[in-house]
């Protein structure tokens, strides 16, 4: 996007890609379906990024989701939002997006060199003058770093952009893997691997973090949890894991029902069929394997009936159905992370241009910066919007 925009601005553009082909990470996004953006207003969109979200204001004003959809339409890609929120190419294939971007770059005479790993950016005092690869130097007054974060190292991410930024005097915040499965201390989750639970609410059970919530489907794994709700929460949890070693969480697995509603539901179901055992009764709310594990956790015999369960055990089970506790103790690191939490400090970047405040002619876009959002087209929209703004370049250069 930065290359296309710069070329439209009349600049001579060279895109250097260290892998044999461009946009490998883009090809993997959204399971290959490429969730480009979403239909939120700019204000609501920025709010989803937390404390750093306002940094995006100028980039979104210049190139928001509507502008992105119009841009892709102009280069032959039709899009739609089948659920009214997430925007995809109608082909539901990221290859459609990559091919269209390649065609547009070729139309604009953007030079593309693949298998070219950038080693250094050369500068005189505080002005960029050239890019150095292994054995070659390319002279340029303006350079845009669009190297992404550390997620998916098999797709080329190894932090070289952060290294270059540091060498040029920029501060890079602590980096954490985000948008990934999580491992739990509790082993009972392994018995529920076949279960996908819809509309789960996840919250962090720590005083200063109690306002952090995520919602979405949850899937149990042999050693923890995954699914959209986990991917969204992971960006908040991984930094806490580094700090505290483990992070307690609470899950509402009953589509938002509270203890009073759960109690009424169980009584109503029992009244309809007094022969139901506890496993069958809890099974009116949750899958059988999960129902069985929750009964065992409360020391309730799954085969006994509702009337034979003590009041204390019943209250414990209802409490557990309302909020199921788990303890996050680990993850698989950056190899499973879709995005990176942290990056080049935003205080050192001019939000109106994406230019460095330290080095003239140095620009940033996308995930290399300290800005990340949840699932749902947020991170791609930010990448495209910041790339568009960076490609505009400072008018004085």
């Amino acid at each position: 996007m930065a290359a296309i925009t710069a070329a439209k601005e009349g600049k001579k553009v060279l895109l250097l890609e260290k892998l044999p082909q461009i946009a490998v990470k883009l090809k993997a996004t959204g399971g290959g379906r490429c969730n480009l953006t979403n239909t939120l207003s700019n204000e609501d969109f920025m709010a989803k990024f937390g404390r750093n979200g306002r940094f995006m204001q100028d980039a979104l004003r210049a190139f928001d989701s509507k502008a992105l959809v119009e841009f892709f339409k102009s280069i032959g890609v039709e899009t739609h939002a089948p659920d009214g929120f997430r925007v995809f190419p109608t082909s539901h294939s990221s290859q459609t997006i990559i091919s269209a971007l390649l065609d547009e770059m070729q139309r604009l005479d953007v030079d593309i060199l693949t298998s070219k790993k950038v080693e250094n950016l050369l500068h005189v005092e505080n002005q960029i003058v050239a890019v150095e690869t292994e054995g070659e130097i390319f002279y340029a007054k303006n350079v845009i770093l669009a190297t992404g974060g550390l997620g998916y190292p098999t797709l080329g991410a190894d932090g070289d952009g952060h290294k270059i930024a540091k060498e040029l005097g920029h501060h890079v915040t602590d980096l954490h893997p985000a948008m990934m499965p999580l491992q739990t201390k509790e082993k009972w989750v392994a018995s529920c691997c076949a279960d996908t639970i819809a509309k789960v609410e996840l919250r962090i059970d720590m005083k200063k973090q109690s306002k952090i919530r995520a919602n979405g489907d949850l899937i149990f794994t042999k050693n923890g949890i995954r699914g959209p709700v986990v991917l969204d929460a992971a960006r908040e949890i991984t930094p806490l894991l580094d700090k505290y070693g483990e992070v307690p969480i609470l899950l509402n697995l009953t589509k938002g029902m509270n203890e009073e509603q759960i109690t009424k539901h169980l009584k109503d179901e029992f009244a309809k069929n007094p022969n139901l055992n506890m496993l069958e009764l809890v099974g009116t709310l949750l899958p059988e394997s999960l129902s069985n594990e929750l009964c065992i956790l409360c020391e309730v015999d799954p085969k006994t009936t509702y009337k034979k369960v003590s009041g204390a055990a019943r209250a414990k089970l209802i409490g557990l159905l309302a909020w199921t506790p788990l303890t996050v103790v680990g993850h698989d690191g950056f190899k499973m992370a879709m995005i990176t939490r942290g990056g080049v400090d935003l205080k050192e970047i001019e939000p109106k241009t994406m230019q460095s405040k330290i080095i003239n002619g140095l620009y940033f876009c996308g995930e290399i910066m300290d800005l990340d959002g949840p699932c749902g087209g947020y991170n791609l929209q930010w990448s495209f919007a910041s790339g568009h703004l960076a490609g505009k370049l400072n008018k004085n250069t």
Side-chain angles (χ1 to χ4, degrees), residues 121 126-128 141-145 164-165 168-170 344 348-350 353-364 393:
L121 299 187
N126 70 334
Q127 172 63 53
I128 289 287
K141 291 190 296 180
N142 298 294
V143 172
I144 301 171
L145 275 181
I164 290 168
L168 293 170
H170 277 275
V344 177
E348 300 167 356
I349 302 169
E350 174 50 60
T353 60
M354 297 293 134
Q355 184 172 210
S356 164
K357 293 179 180 179
I358 296 170
I359 301 286
N360 291 331
L362 174 63
Y363 295 78
F364 300 95
L393 302 174

Side-chain angles (χ1 to χ4, degrees), residues 292-326:
N292 189 62
E293 290 303 321
L294 295 185
C295 284
I296 292 168
L297 285 172
C298 297
E299 298 178 345
V300 169
D301 180 358
K303 299 298 182 185
T304 196
T305 59
Y306 186 72
K307 285 287 188 186
K308 291 182 180 177
V309 178
S310 71
R314 203 182 290 167
K316 188 176 180 183
L317 177 59
I318 289 166
L320 200 64
L321 285 166
W323 289 107
T324 307
L326 285 175

Side-chain angles (χ1 to χ4, degrees), residues 151-162:
Y152 288 144
T154 53
L155 302 182
D158 64 3
D160 42 5
H162 294 132

Side-chain angles (χ1 to χ4, degrees), residues 37-48 60 64-66 84-87 374 376 378 381:
T37 184
N38 58 55
T39 56
L40 285 186
S41 68
N42 288 356
E43 286 297 319
D44 290 341
F45 186 92
M46 288 187 286
K48 291 288 188 179
L60 290 176
D64 61 9
S65 60
K66 290 175 184 171
F85 174 63
R86 295 176 299 165
V87 178
Y378 293 94
Q381 171 65 48

Side-chain angles (χ1 to χ4, degrees), residues 183-200:
Q183 298 161 4
T184 62
K185 183 187 287 184
E186 293 78 8
K187 303 302 178 191
W188 61 261
V189 297
S191 302
C192 307
C193 281
D195 298 341
T196 298
I197 316 300
K199 297 181 181 176
V200 170

Side-chain angles (χ1 to χ4, degrees), residues 210-366:
S210 60
K211 290 183 180 177
I212 297 172
R213 307 283 172 105
N215 294 275
D217 294 356
L218 177 136
I219 302 164
F220 290 101
T221 67
K222 65 180 180 181
N223 63 359
I225 49 177
R226 63 183 178 92
V229 67
V230 179
L231 298 182
D232 279 356
R235 57 194 282 264
E236 304 287 356
I237 291 172
T238 53
L240 295 172
L241 263 183
D242 282 356
K243 189 173 182 180
Y244 299 108
E246 57 181 47
V247 178
I249 62 172
L250 293 170
L251 302 170
N252 179 285
L253 302 169
T254 53
K255 296 183 175 63
M257 292 171 73
N258 59 28
E259 290 188 26
E260 187 180 331
Q261 292 166 322
I262 293 167
T263 302
K264 183 179 183 305
H265 174 86
L266 294 180
K267 283 181 177 177
D268 289 349
E269 291 298 318
F270 179 71
K272 279 191 248 175
N273 188 351
N275 294 320
L276 290 178
N277 62 32
M278 287 305 293
L279 180 61
E280 292 165 333
L281 198 57
V282 177
T284 61
L285 289 169
L286 297 169
E288 183 178 321
S289 58
L290 179 55
S291 301
N292 189 62
E293 290 303 321
L294 295 185
C295 284
I296 292 168
L297 285 172
C298 297
E299 298 178 345
V300 169
D301 180 358
K303 299 298 182 185
T304 196
T305 59
Y306 186 72
K307 285 287 188 186
K308 291 182 180 177
V309 178
S310 71
R314 203 182 290 167
K316 188 176 180 183
L317 177 59
I318 289 166
L320 200 64
L321 285 166
W323 289 107
T324 307
L326 285 175
T327 313
V328 178
V329 292
H331 50 73
D332 286 328
F334 282 103
K335 70 177 182 180
M336 291 298 289
M338 294 184 196
I339 60 168
T340 302
R341 191 85 197 256
V344 177
D345 196 326
L346 299 179
K347 296 189 193 77
E348 300 167 356
I349 302 169
E350 174 50 60
K352 292 185 184 302
T353 60
M354 297 293 134
Q355 184 172 210
S356 164
K357 293 179 180 179
I358 296 170
I359 301 286
N360 291 331
L362 174 63
Y363 295 78
F364 300 95
C365 62

Side-chain angles (χ1 to χ4, degrees), residues 170-187:
H170 277 275
H171 172 247
V172 175
T173 67
D174 292 339
L175 303 172
H176 304 278
M179 213 178 275
M180 62 194 304
L182 298 171
Q183 298 161 4
T184 62
K185 183 187 287 184
E186 293 78 8
K187 303 302 178 191

